[in-house]
Amino acid sequence: MRKSISFLASAGLAVMPMLGHAATPTVGEVLEASGITAAGYVDAGYSASNLGTNSFELNHVALTIAKQPAEGFGGLVNLSLGEDAKYINARYGDAPDSTFALTQAYVQYVTGGLTVIGGRLLMAEGTESIDQTKDANISRSLLFANLQ
């Protein structure tokens, strides 16, 4: 009897890792199944001069979480961290010295060819992009800086 209990216990311990692995989805699988996307980037720079004024600057760390289906309700939240957040906050009249900004946060409803969006939008007209991955210029135009 002792041998059979030891054998069953050993078999149970050998099977346990397979049971736990099969039932646990990854974060990516959960997001994909729910239709939620997450994206982000880091933009940093280093300036050097012959006058000895060398500096490293964290310009922009961005995180965007969105659910934007082709039909029905959705939304988007875009958070920014870094020196660019000061300009974003100045645009909205928020704390101008803060290096954290709620760049965008909105809900949307899509039906047929109509999309209704409401919330905090950065640039509805699409003239400038704050996303450095979509802006080939090393600096933004005066239009972005003068939106205050």
Side-chain angles (χ1 to χ4, degrees):
M1 173 136 170
R2 273 189 130 171
K3 284 186 177 185
S4 61
I5 291 175
S6 296
F7 176 75
L8 289 174
S10 298
L13 288 175
V15 172
M16 278 179 68
M18 291 188 294
L19 293 174
H21 180 69
T24 308
T26 65
V27 173
E29 292 169 342
V30 171
L31 291 176
E32 184 178 340
S34 65
I36 296 173
T37 60
Y41 62 89
V42 176
D43 175 29
Y46 182 79
S47 298
S49 78
N50 58 357
L51 299 175
T53 55
N54 302 337
S55 65
F56 172 81
E57 190 170 88
L58 182 62
N59 297 322
H60 199 158
V61 177
L63 173 64
T64 303
I65 300 171
K67 181 174 183 175
Q68 297 176 299
E71 288 285 326
F73 284 98
L76 180 137
V77 174
N78 179 227
L79 305 172
S80 296
L81 175 72
E83 291 300 312
D84 286 356
K86 294 177 183 178
Y87 292 103
I88 296 166
N89 286 331
R91 155 84 162 88
Y92 289 121
D94 294 340
D97 293 333
S98 177
T99 56
F100 173 80
L102 175 62
T103 309
Q104 296 186 94
Y106 60 82
V107 294
Q108 70 178 30
Y109 180 74
V110 180
T111 181
L114 176 67
T115 302
V116 179
I117 298 176
R120 186 174 185 155
L121 300 168
L122 183 63
M123 304 254 182
E125 66 275 3
T127 55
E128 286 286 318
S129 175
I130 195 166
D131 185 348
Q132 279 88 342
T133 63
K134 297 176 183 170
D135 190 356
N137 299 320
I138 193 162
S139 64
R140 293 184 190 84
S141 71
L142 292 175
L143 177 63
F144 182 80
N146 291 328
L147 285 174
Q148 303 174 30

